Structure formats: C-alpha cells, structure tokens
C-alpha cells in the first residue's frame, strides 16, 4: 500500500497534480471518514425511505380515511418542495425548537436530522412508487386470493406486495440512486460526509480541481455499485413469463 | 354419474344485489342438490358473474338469502366467517388468476398451507396428485407465464380442489381459451362432475351444458327467465327471450 501512496507523492512532484487524500495520512483519514459517512448516510436513508414507502403505500390502501389524508399531504409537502429547504426546515426549524426545550446542546445531531430529512424526502417518492406498483396488481388476482380464503393481511403480504415490489423495482432503483446523490446536501448542515470533508481538504491544500475529480469518481463508483447490486437483485427475483 | 341426492347444498332465494344505483340481480332463486351440476347461461351483462361472486361471499347482497352447506352467506360479516365459507366453496375464474410469482405447484399448495394450516409435506403430496389428475404433473415447476391458457386454467382448477371444497363455481372458465384447449379443461370438469362434485357453471359451451347439467338456468337482465333440464330448455324453450338467445348462440 505504501508503494501506492508514494506513487501519488511522486505524481505531485512530477506533474503538480496534488492528490493529498492519497499520500497525506491526515487528509487520507478525513477523506476516508467522509466516504464512510456518505456510505452510512446512504444505507440508512435507503432503508428508512423504503420502510416509509411500504408503510405509506399500505396506509394509502387502508380504510382509515384520516391516515390516508395524512399520507397524501405528507407526499405533497415533500415532493413539491426542494430537498435543501426541507433539510433547513428540519435542522434550523425543528432543531432549534427542540434545543429551546432541552436547554444547552442540541438534542438531535445534525447527522440525525440529515437522516430524518433525506429519508422523508425519498420516502415520499417511494410511497408513490409502491402505490402505483400495488395498483398495477390486477384486481382479479386479489379476488382469487380472497376466494381461496386468504385474509386481507395474507393477501397483501403473500400476493400483492411481492408482485407490486417486482413491478416497482425499476422506479425504485432510480429514486434510490437519486437519494445517494442527494446525500451531498447534508453538506449544508455540516454533516462530515464526502463533499464536506473534501471542501475541508481543498481549503487547506488549495487543490480544488483535483478534489472535484476525486469526488466525481467516488460518487460514480458508489452509484455504480448500487445500480449493479439492484440489477442483480432485479434479475434474481424475476419471474419467468411475468412481463415486467 | 352418481344419483344426485335431493337435499340442496346451495339455496339461493330472492337475491337482490346492486352496485350503487344499478341493480344487477333482481330477485334470483334456485337450488342445487349435493352432487348436482347446474349451468347458468345468458347474455353478457345479465349478472352471471355477480351471482357466483355473491355465492362465494365476495360481494354482499342487499336482499334475499344464500345458504351454502351450513353457512348463511348473506349473514356473514367478519372476514373470519367469510374465510370459513370459502373453504367450502371454491371459484375458478375466466382469467385463471393464478399467482404469477409462484410455480404451478406452489399455486396449488399456498391456500392449504396458509389458510387451512396443513403440514407442507402432506399438502405437497396432495398437490402433486391434483396436478397429476389435471394432467400437469410434468409442469409442476413451471410459472404461470410459461403455461398455455388451458394449462393455467387446469392449474387453477387444481388450486381450487386443493381446498377440498363442497361446491365448485366456474365462471366462463373456457371463454378465454383457444378452441383446441377448451376440450382439455372441459374434460377436467366432466371428471369432477362424475366424481360427484357439486358444480355451478356459468358457460357459453351449450353442448357441454346439455351433456353435463342436471338443470340449466337462462338469465337475462338480473333475473332467471327460464329453468329446465337441458334437453327441455335447449330443445323446447318456453319463453321467447330464451328462444331468441339460443337461436343466436346455437
Ligand atoms: N364492481 C362492479 N361495479 C359496478 N358495476 C358492476 C361491477 N361488476 C359488475 N357490474 C355490472 O353488473 C352487471 C352484470 O355484470 P356481470 O355479473 O359481470 O355479468 P355477466 O357475468 O353476466 O356478463 C354489468 O352491467 C356490469 O357492468
Ligand atoms: Mg361474467
């Protein structure tokens, strides 16, 4: 490994391309921690937004009118406002309210607010994605399950959801890719994710063009891995002859 | 064919059913004896599918009564009561409605395992026997999308039989099939009827109805217009409307 780091030091000397995040231990450590933070932020938000999507879609199909209305306005609010404004709303709006109650330091960290905000943002789209997947399951298939004696819950869990999920996967992939890209907004509330630590690096080292390239490549690889995994998964659960 | 016993297992009495303003069934009454085979014929939109769905408890009725075995279908309220009914009455649909993400065998096994809560091993053996009976043992691992319409419909029949129903409802089960595959499905139904299964069939296969039915009901506009044994109804219809319909389809 040391050989690689030395090569980047040599590269700087020979060409002036200054990639401190590789040869300088301090920069390497903070960039790595930013990379890990981005991966963690993405993973947690993906998970939560999918859970929100499934629950929201389920509530929208339920008989509880009040719950349906709440979900409807949640979707409207989060789809029709910029995610950066949502993030500020949570962090500065709700965050300072909570601080007022709690006394001294913030009760909820900026990382937590980023997770909450981004999960609700992507979750609103996921509700719509899963809902249209559920609506694409033929009414007659559901009736067949009912006629065989399946309960409402069994029908949902064993028939409707597995089919709706398969139908939803392509749209879900798109939204999750978007979510990973949107984690960069957490920069705005000083969450030490990849973009934020990079800005610290380039302020100290004055290597803005180099860091921009590093960022592009890193996000490209990150999203690439996600897309690859989702495609493999899509293929693995594909049903022969089920035309989607 | 075993002699149909006289005790009716299905009693439909003065059933009225509406979707909102539109009254679809306007007082339908008939009975089916245990082991009997009843065919319902009539023009499209006359309420035949709705009638079967009422008997299966899938849609509520506004007036009248339906009794199937020991169940007062019209009085079933909770999901639990309806599920109990659906163990006795099984329905086969025009569009097969198999679960597309499950293999033929899994389609047959699902309800016995999850609804009847029987042991998977036993269910599997029974499901394979049923698929063999409908001539599809070789296709047990195929998904519905890999099967022809006739094959899917026979899997659907096996899936219904796996619930060990007392009564089978068939809603135009051959209407979506190619002419060549109609026969394989009709043969399966014929076999069931000969074994003494109580069957209510909505069908456009008049020759089949004539051959298999104990009684034929001609429906129009939400009412049973004429009922008679098949030979009588097809050869000597008494009502003009029946005559007009038969002249169109025969
Ligand atoms: N879910 C429903 N909502 C409203 N109207 C319906 C519904 N299902 C059926 N109908 C109406 O009820 C009438 C009878 O339909 P159906 O029972 O399917 O007739 P058939 O099976 O004899 O062709 C039709 O006029 C149809 O439009
Ligand atoms: Mg019909």
């Amino acid at each position: 490994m040391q050989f690689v780091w030395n090569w980047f030091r040599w590269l700087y000397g020979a060409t002036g391309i200054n990639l401190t995040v590789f040869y300088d231990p301090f920069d390497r450590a903070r960039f790595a921690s930013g990379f890990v933070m981005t991966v963690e932020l993405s993973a947690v938000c993906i998970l939560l937004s999918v859970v929100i999507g499934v629950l929201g879609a389920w509530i929208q199909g339920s008989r509880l009118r009040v719950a349906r209305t709440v979900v409807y306005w949640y979707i409207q609010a989060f789809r029709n406002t910029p995610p950066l404004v949502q993030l500020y709303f949570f962090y500065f709006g709700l965050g300072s309210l909570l601080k007022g109650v709690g006394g001294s330091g913030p009760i909820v960290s900026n990382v937590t607010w980023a997770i909450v905000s981004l999960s609700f943002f992507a979750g609103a789209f996921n509700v719509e994605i899963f809902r249209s997947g559920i609506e694409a399951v033929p009414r007659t298939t559901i009736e067949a399950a009912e006629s065989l004696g399946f309960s409402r819950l069994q029908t949902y869990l064993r028939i409707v959801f597995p089919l709706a999920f398969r139908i939803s996967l392509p749209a879900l992939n798109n939204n999750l890719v978007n979510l990973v890209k949107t984690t960069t907004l957490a920069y705005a509330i000083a969450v030490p994710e990849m973009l934020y630590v990079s800005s610290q690096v380039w302020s100290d080292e004055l290597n803005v063009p180099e860091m921009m390239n590093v960022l592009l490549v890193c996000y490209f690889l990150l999203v690439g891995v996600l897309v690859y995994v989702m495609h493999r998964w899509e293929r693995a659960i594909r049903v022969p002859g089920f035309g989607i | 064919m075993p002699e149909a016993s006289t005790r009716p297992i299905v009693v439909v009495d003065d059933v009225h059913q509406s979707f909102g303003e539109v009254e679809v069934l306007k007082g339908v009454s008939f009975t089916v004896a245990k082991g009997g085979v009843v065919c319902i014929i009539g023009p499209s939109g006359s309420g035949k599918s709705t009638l079967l769905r009422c008997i299966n408890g899938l849609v509520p009725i506004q007036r009248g009564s339906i009794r199937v075995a020991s169940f007062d279908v019209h009085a079933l309220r909770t999901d639990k009561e309806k599920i109990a009914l659906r163990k006795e009455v099984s329905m086969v649909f025009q569009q097969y409605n198999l679960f597309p993400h499950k293999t033929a065998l899994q389609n047959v096994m699902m309800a016995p395992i999850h609804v009847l809560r029987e042991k998977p091993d036993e269910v599997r053996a029974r499901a394979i026997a049923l698929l063999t009976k409908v001539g599809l043992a070789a296709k047990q691992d195929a998904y519905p999308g890999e099967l022809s319409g006739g094959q899917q419909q026979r899997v659907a029949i096996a899936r219904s039989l796996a619930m060990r129903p007392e009564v089978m409802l068939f809603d135009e089960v051959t209407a979506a099939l190619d002419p060549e595959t109609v026969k394989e499905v009709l043969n399966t139904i014929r076999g069931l009827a000969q074994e003494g299964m109580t069957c209510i069939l909505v069908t456009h296969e008049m020759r089949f109805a004539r051959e298999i039915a104990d009684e034929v009901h001609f429906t129009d506009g939400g009412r049973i217009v004429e009922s008679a044994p098949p030979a009588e109804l097809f050869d000597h219809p008494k009502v003009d409307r029946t005559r007009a319909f038969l002249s169109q389809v025969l």
Side-chain angles (χ1 to χ4, degrees):
Chain A
M1 221 50 192
Q2 194 58 44
F3 165 76
V4 178
W5 307 147
N6 285 339
W7 185 82
F8 279 104
R9 193 187 298 278
W10 167 84
L11 183 73
Y12 177 42
T15 65
I17 297 174
N18 187 11
L19 291 164
T20 56
V21 289
F22 292 111
Y23 68 77
D24 181 75
F26 180 69
D27 281 0
R28 191 160 67 222
R30 55 178 170 174
F31 186 77
S33 79
F35 182 84
V36 170
M37 174 61 79
T38 290
V39 171
E40 285 174 354
L41 202 56
S42 301
V44 173
C45 291
I46 284 174
L47 211 72
L48 286 178
S49 74
V50 168
V51 170
I52 291 171
V54 171
L55 287 180
W58 190 59
I59 290 172
Q60 285 214 311
S62 83
R63 284 176 279 188
L64 291 171
R65 217 181 134 164
V66 181
R68 284 207 310 265
T69 311
V70 169
V71 172
Y72 173 81
W73 284 110
Y74 154 62
I75 294 169
Q76 296 308 317
F78 279 82
R79 284 202 337 166
N80 301 338
T81 54
L84 182 58
V85 175
Q86 292 164 18
L87 193 63
Y88 280 159
F89 166 76
F90 276 105
Y91 185 62
F92 294 115
L94 288 185
S96 60
L97 270 182
L98 286 180
K99 202 186 318 194
V101 177
S104 56
I107 306 164
V108 183
S109 74
N110 56 347
V111 176
T112 309
W113 279 126
I115 288 171
V116 169
S117 171
L118 291 169
S119 298
F120 274 111
F121 166 66
F125 288 88
N126 285 350
V127 174
E128 289 284 87
I129 288 167
F130 287 134
R131 191 182 56 88
S132 59
I134 288 170
E135 276 170 10
V137 175
R139 178 70 212 130
T140 51
T141 306
I142 297 169
E143 194 168 58
E146 264 175 58
S147 136
L148 283 168
F150 284 90
S151 70
R152 223 168 262 274
L153 186 66
Q154 282 177 324
T155 304
Y156 187 80
L157 292 180
R158 299 195 180 278
I159 311 298
V160 178
F161 188 72
L163 291 173
F165 191 72
R166 286 173 172 86
I167 297 166
S168 303
L169 257 185
L172 182 67
N173 287 351
N174 273 337
N175 191 39
L176 296 185
V177 164
N178 253 326
L179 173 58
V180 171
K181 294 188 285 190
T182 310
T183 57
T184 48
L185 290 184
Y187 171 95
I189 57 170
V191 171
E193 47 72 65
M194 197 154 55
L195 178 60
Y196 186 82
V197 297
S198 298
S199 78
Q200 289 179 326
V201 171
W202 77 57
S203 311
D204 293 348
E205 313 286 355
L206 304 175
N207 58 347
V208 177
E210 287 91 335
M211 286 314 295
M212 287 303 169
N213 282 298
V214 169
L215 273 177
L216 275 181
V217 170
C218 285
Y219 277 108
F220 187 78
L221 291 179
L222 212 57
V223 171
V225 168
L226 177 66
V227 168
Y228 176 77
V229 169
M230 294 297 280
H231 271 268
R232 287 297 297 260
W233 196 23
E234 218 173 300
R235 281 237 303 273
I237 66 170
R238 194 158 84 208
V239 174
F242 186 51
I244 296 150
Chain B
M1 209 181 294
E3 199 56 37
S5 94
T6 44
R7 191 176 70 85
I9 189 168
V10 178
V11 182
V12 174
D13 186 23
D14 193 32
V15 164
H16 291 252
Q17 200 278 339
S18 346
F19 291 108
E21 297 285 285
V22 191
E23 195 171 29
V24 175
L25 299 177
K26 301 168 184 167
V28 174
S29 307
F30 69 96
T31 63
V32 187
K34 189 163 171 51
V37 176
V38 158
C39 284
I40 298 169
I41 62 172
S44 167
S46 59
K48 307 183 295 296
S49 299
T50 306
L51 179 58
L52 290 194
R53 289 159 76 220
C54 291
I55 296 172
N56 203 193
L58 290 170
V59 289
I61 62 174
Q62 275 76 42
R63 242 174 76 196
S65 68
I66 300 175
R67 193 174 174 79
V68 176
S70 60
F71 294 94
D72 284 318
V73 180
H74 56 281
L76 302 180
R77 287 290 169 267
T78 64
D79 285 352
K80 214 168 157 188
E81 292 171 334
K82 287 178 189 162
I83 288 166
L85 164 77
R86 288 171 195 150
K87 291 173 186 167
E88 303 296 324
V89 190
S90 225
M91 185 154 170
V92 184
F93 301 85
Q94 178 174 345
Q95 292 298 341
Y96 341 126
N97 298 347
L98 292 178
F99 307 130
H101 59 309
K102 298 284 177 184
T103 63
L105 186 62
Q106 288 168 337
N107 262 279
V108 178
M109 289 173 67
M110 268 185 100
I113 290 177
H114 299 301
V115 177
L116 303 179
R117 308 215 179 272
E118 293 177 7
K119 290 204 188 73
D121 290 346
E122 292 166 16
V123 174
R124 168 176 273 269
R126 202 149 53 82
I128 292 173
L130 283 170
L131 284 176
T132 308
K133 179 177 174 154
V134 298
L136 287 172
K139 295 285 187 186
Q140 65 178 56
D141 293 322
Y143 285 90
E146 299 172 314
L147 297 173
S148 74
Q151 291 171 331
Q152 288 188 58
Q153 195 58 288
R154 285 183 286 155
V155 173
I157 292 172
R159 179 176 71 171
S160 287
L161 289 173
M163 294 297 285
R164 297 200 194 85
E166 292 284 322
V167 180
M168 290 278 284
L169 310 174
F170 297 89
D171 189 4
E172 299 193 34
V173 293
T174 57
L177 300 179
D178 302 330
E180 312 93 76
T181 55
V182 166
K183 222 162 109 190
E184 61 195 36
V185 172
L186 292 185
N187 284 339
T188 304
I189 299 173
R190 183 183 291 113
L192 286 178
Q194 284 166 354
E195 287 168 19
M197 174 66 75
T198 309
C199 298
I200 305 178
L201 291 107
V202 171
T203 186
H204 287 303
E205 300 287 334
M206 298 304 162
R207 275 183 33 211
F208 187 64
R210 177 193 286 262
E211 171 205 327
I212 198 171
D214 302 318
E215 192 165 32
V216 179
H217 302 289
F218 170 66
T219 60
D220 190 22
R223 288 193 177 84
I224 292 181
V225 174
E226 185 168 358
S227 305
E232 205 179 310
L233 188 117
F234 287 120
D235 295 335
H236 309 289
K238 293 197 175 62
V239 184
D240 286 346
R241 187 70 194 87
T242 317
R243 217 170 287 137
F245 175 76
L246 288 176
S247 72
Q248 272 170 12
V249 297
L250 286 180

